[in-house]
Amino acid sequence: MLAFVARRLLVAVPLLLVVSFVCFALTSLLPDPSVARLGQHATKANIEAFRRSKGLDDPFLARYGRFLAGAATLEFGEDIVRDDGRTIGAGIRERFPATFELALVAMVVAVVVGLAAGSLGAAFPRRVADAFAQVVAVVGSSVPVFWLGFMASLLFAVHLRWLPHPDWSLRTVAPGAAYATRFFLLESVARGDLAAVGRALSHLALPGLVLSTIPLAVVTRMTRSSMLEELGRDYVRTARAKGVRELGVVSRHAMKNALMPIVTVTGLQTGALLGGAVLTESVFAWPGLGRYVAEGVRSGNGPLVVAGVFTFAATFVVVNLVVDVVYHAVDPRLRRAS
Amino acid sequence: MNAPRAVRRLLRDPLAWIGGTLVLAVVAMALLAPVLAPHAPDRRVSLPGAHDPVAPDARHPLGTDGNGFDVLSRVLYGARASLVTGLFAVVLAMLVGVPLGAAAGWAGGVWDGLLMRLTDVLLSFPSVLLALVIAAAVGRGSLWTLVLAVGIVQVPLFLRQVRASVMTAKQEDWVVACRATGLSPVRTLLRHVLPNCLAPILVLATLGVGSAILSAAGLSWLGLGPPATEPEWGRMLEEGAKYMREQEQWVLVPPGLAISATVLGFNLLGDALRAALDPRLAR
């Protein structure tokens, strides 16, 4: 087990280093942040003085070294475009929890619905339920999330008034309480404050459901094909022969064996999910990292964009690492192999 | 791959027909836009100054938008932008990904390892974000920005697929036979191995057009696409979003439906192609 973790880390750490390098190399392609700070009409001398004072003209490797140091401490240096005396990292840390909980809810919805729909389709292939699940999955993956977000909030928040317009802040989730973190949902759960959990979920519902359409199609499909394969195996026939009911065969016998490719695909879908978060957050004015990056792009804040993208990529790499390790710990077949 | 049989299977698949119809409809919209559109897509038809969306009427079947443009005409012309972006992005991804993937799969060794690590790196970025940064780096303002951003993001997908297909084909007896008859390796690869890898490339390309259109619409919606005067669906949604909480919410509907229908068409067609070309998968 330890050897496996060590081996995976040995791949992940260099990967993160290269990712950081690519991220940083992209900064040099982005528009000059000093123009964004000083405005279009700044004189050449002003821009040069500003660039010198912020170290923007230092050699490439020196700047990359500073970026790496910034990434290691999660500070990423001061935000020279906003210039409000705070570091870029402070802004990222403030917004990361909102994105994390949104992505978490979306992923849980996608996995639960996808597992159920996919298994149902595999248990009764080529029936109405199977066809329906497949059609919903392909339609869901064809609709742009940002448009789906508009339509869903028009329907559920404006016309039907079933859900509130998402407003993610402590004021709406737990008025008057003092939370230690900005993980409003998780901290409400930890405090056992059910009313706050309910309020948090009601605000997460719209963006979470909308975002879940991105991984849903892939999870449903993978579940269906992986489950179909398992259902054709001998042990499944044995289980049926000894009188286990079909529901039990699918959920207890086949599911465990079918789970491996599903878990892997789910981990990989986190990337698409995090990318979709950029669009979803912008629709719902969600105070997360995705919207922060999108705003950074609009305002020409190159260093912020690169730091945000690196945070996203690093999260993706770490999620896949954790998925791998957890799966290895849980699956006895893999545990023996390593 | 047995071409006639695959075509027959494709023609029997109802989903292929739905997908094909949707795609053809969008192509028809793009080609016939000048004939079908009641107005020029970039001429303000309502009075200048007071540009609030005007509700649908006889003159403007889908109303006008906040810039005073006729929505129906813009939706029709927008098909051009979407198809151009989707097709060229995939062509770009194939032009880079297919040769590199073939070389990696055929040559193996250090070259292969290096390319695989490189795709690992590219694939560890959420694709929308990578496209976002590339688009921001290229600078704003045109469809080609979107083509480049979305195309580069798809390169690793083609590279991996072609590499895997070539590596599988390399093991087969007929490839050994080609080599044994004295055919040069490059000729074997180009004339015999690559044509045999066409099926998965075709599937990936069809699905790729759909996802390219989807990503491009997202980037354009974030403001990285062509200027607001150009008829482009993602950009139309960005304009429409201003009216989100007001009476004119309906301006959001047509462009979104158009994007969804187009992407759905390519997705259905791609899935049907995959099933037709590889019957083992279509259980």
Side-chain angles (χ1 to χ4, degrees):
Chain A
M1 187 65 213
L2 254 166
F4 173 74
V5 175
R7 220 169 30 226
R8 278 301 268 108
L9 277 175
L10 233 76
V11 180
V13 170
L15 181 64
L16 272 178
L17 268 178
V18 181
V19 164
S20 78
F21 184 80
V22 172
C23 270
F24 185 74
L26 285 169
T27 350
S28 48
L29 300 174
L30 288 171
D32 186 355
S34 46
V35 175
R37 173 72 186 88
L38 302 171
Q40 293 290 332
H41 304 292
T43 62
K44 215 171 167 191
N46 274 347
I47 286 185
E48 267 170 22
F50 181 79
R51 288 185 66 88
R52 238 194 330 276
S53 74
K54 300 298 178 190
L56 293 175
D57 291 329
D58 292 354
F60 182 84
L61 280 179
R63 284 181 290 134
Y64 176 57
R66 271 210 304 272
F67 175 76
L68 263 189
T73 57
L74 299 177
E75 287 297 343
F76 297 103
E78 62 171 324
D79 190 336
I80 57 173
V81 175
R82 289 179 175 224
D83 200 25
D84 51 4
R86 304 182 60 201
T87 61
I88 293 175
I92 290 179
R93 280 196 302 273
E94 198 177 293
R95 288 163 178 84
F96 183 79
T99 300
F100 182 86
E101 295 195 320
L102 174 62
L104 185 71
V105 166
M107 202 42 128
V108 169
V109 171
V111 167
V112 170
V113 176
L115 279 183
S119 320
L120 207 69
F124 309 103
R126 300 196 166 271
R127 297 279 190 77
V128 178
D130 182 26
F132 182 72
Q134 303 250 40
V135 168
V136 169
V138 71
V139 171
S141 64
S142 304
V143 177
V145 269
F146 51 99
W147 184 65
L148 190 64
F150 285 136
M151 294 294 118
S153 61
L154 280 182
L155 181 64
F156 293 114
V158 177
H159 291 296
L160 297 174
R161 294 179 183 277
W162 287 357
L163 292 166
H165 267 295
D167 177 8
W168 194 243
S169 61
L170 192 56
R171 193 165 40 78
T172 54
V173 173
Y179 275 33
T181 67
R182 299 183 71 90
F183 292 93
F184 298 145
L185 177 66
L186 295 179
E187 192 165 344
S188 303
V189 171
R191 287 167 168 239
D193 184 348
L194 285 182
V197 172
R199 277 192 297 272
L201 285 177
S202 75
H203 283 277
L204 275 163
L206 264 181
L209 286 175
V210 166
L211 187 54
S212 74
T213 57
I214 291 182
L216 180 61
V218 179
V219 175
T220 307
R221 242 175 233 201
M222 198 70 223
T223 306
R224 184 177 181 272
S225 69
S226 173
M227 188 60 99
L228 265 179
E229 199 171 314
E230 289 302 323
L231 286 178
R233 291 190 194 278
D234 288 344
Y235 73 87
V236 167
R237 200 176 41 188
T238 310
R240 282 183 182 143
K242 74 177 191 193
V244 180
R245 261 184 287 166
E246 193 60 27
L247 186 70
V249 172
V250 171
S251 65
R252 229 163 297 135
H253 294 248
M255 182 59 89
K256 271 186 208 157
N257 291 301
L259 220 47
M260 171 76 154
I262 304 171
V263 169
T264 309
V265 150
T266 307
L268 291 175
Q269 279 296 302
T270 331
L273 191 75
L274 292 174
V278 178
L279 300 167
T280 314
E281 286 177 4
S282 300
V283 174
F284 291 105
W286 197 257
L289 189 53
R291 196 164 66 111
Y292 194 46
V293 172
E295 274 168 7
V297 169
R298 280 207 199 100
S299 59
N301 194 342
L304 188 158
V305 172
V306 169
V309 170
F310 178 70
T311 310
F312 269 118
T315 310
F316 185 34
V317 171
V318 170
V319 165
N320 279 307
L321 180 75
V322 171
V323 164
D324 259 20
V325 170
V326 167
Y327 207 85
H328 238 83
V330 174
D331 192 331
R333 288 171 300 185
L334 296 174
R335 207 164 41 216
R336 234 169 285 132
S338 65
Chain B
M1 176 169 83
N2 187 330
R5 220 188 271 173
V7 169
R8 242 179 293 142
R9 269 196 297 267
L10 196 64
L11 290 178
R12 272 205 307 268
D13 187 346
L15 292 180
W17 281 95
I18 301 175
T21 313
L22 284 172
V23 170
L24 277 183
V26 177
V27 172
M29 272 166 73
L31 292 177
L32 300 177
V35 187
L36 295 172
H39 301 272
D42 50 358
R43 230 191 66 229
R44 292 174 211 279
V45 286
S46 62
L47 287 173
H51 283 316
D52 262 344
V54 175
D57 57 26
R59 254 172 66 77
H60 305 291
L62 293 177
T64 64
D65 66 9
N67 290 320
F69 297 130
D70 179 61
V71 172
L72 176 62
S73 309
R74 286 175 78 75
V75 168
L76 288 168
Y77 275 96
R80 294 184 166 188
S82 275
L83 284 181
V84 164
T85 321
L87 290 175
F88 279 93
V90 167
V91 167
L92 172 69
M94 282 171 72
L95 281 179
V96 182
V98 172
L100 285 180
W106 191 248
V110 184
W111 174 233
D112 178 39
L114 202 68
L115 274 176
M116 281 305 102
R117 294 294 83 74
L118 198 70
T119 56
D120 275 347
V121 172
L122 280 179
L123 289 171
S124 48
F125 290 96
S127 61
V128 174
L129 277 167
L130 190 57
L132 189 75
V133 174
I134 296 171
V138 175
R140 314 166 179 213
S142 81
L143 280 185
W144 301 110
T145 311
L146 300 182
V147 169
L148 193 68
V150 174
I152 290 177
V153 169
Q154 289 204 0
V155 167
L157 306 180
F158 283 95
L159 202 158
R160 294 221 153 180
Q161 178 64 61
V162 173
R163 170 181 177 267
S165 305
V166 167
M167 280 176 73
T168 319
K170 207 165 72 169
Q171 315 285 328
E172 308 239 354
D173 288 343
W174 55 264
V175 174
V176 180
C178 283
R179 306 291 300 275
T181 56
L183 215 56
S184 80
V186 175
R187 228 178 136 77
T188 315
L189 176 66
L190 292 181
R191 296 288 296 276
H192 299 274
V193 175
L194 267 186
N196 263 288
C197 305
L198 267 183
I201 300 178
L202 189 65
V203 173
L204 202 59
T206 314
L207 294 172
V209 173
S211 67
I213 291 176
L214 204 57
S215 315
L219 293 183
S220 177
W221 177 71
L222 286 174
L224 291 159
T229 45
E230 262 183 62
E232 201 278 337
W233 293 336
R235 192 61 205 240
M236 288 172 73
L237 283 175
E238 198 234 336
E239 290 294 318
K242 291 175 193 154
Y243 303 95
M244 176 82 196
R245 303 229 169 150
E246 294 162 38
Q247 286 305 304
E248 293 88 0
Q249 291 152 355
W250 44 265
V251 296
L252 279 168
V253 177
L257 273 184
I259 299 172
S260 308
T262 311
V263 177
L264 181 64
F266 280 104
N267 279 349
L268 286 176
L269 203 59
D271 285 344
L273 268 176
R274 191 199 330 247
L277 291 168
D278 190 355
R280 272 170 309 161
L281 286 173
R283 279 175 298 191

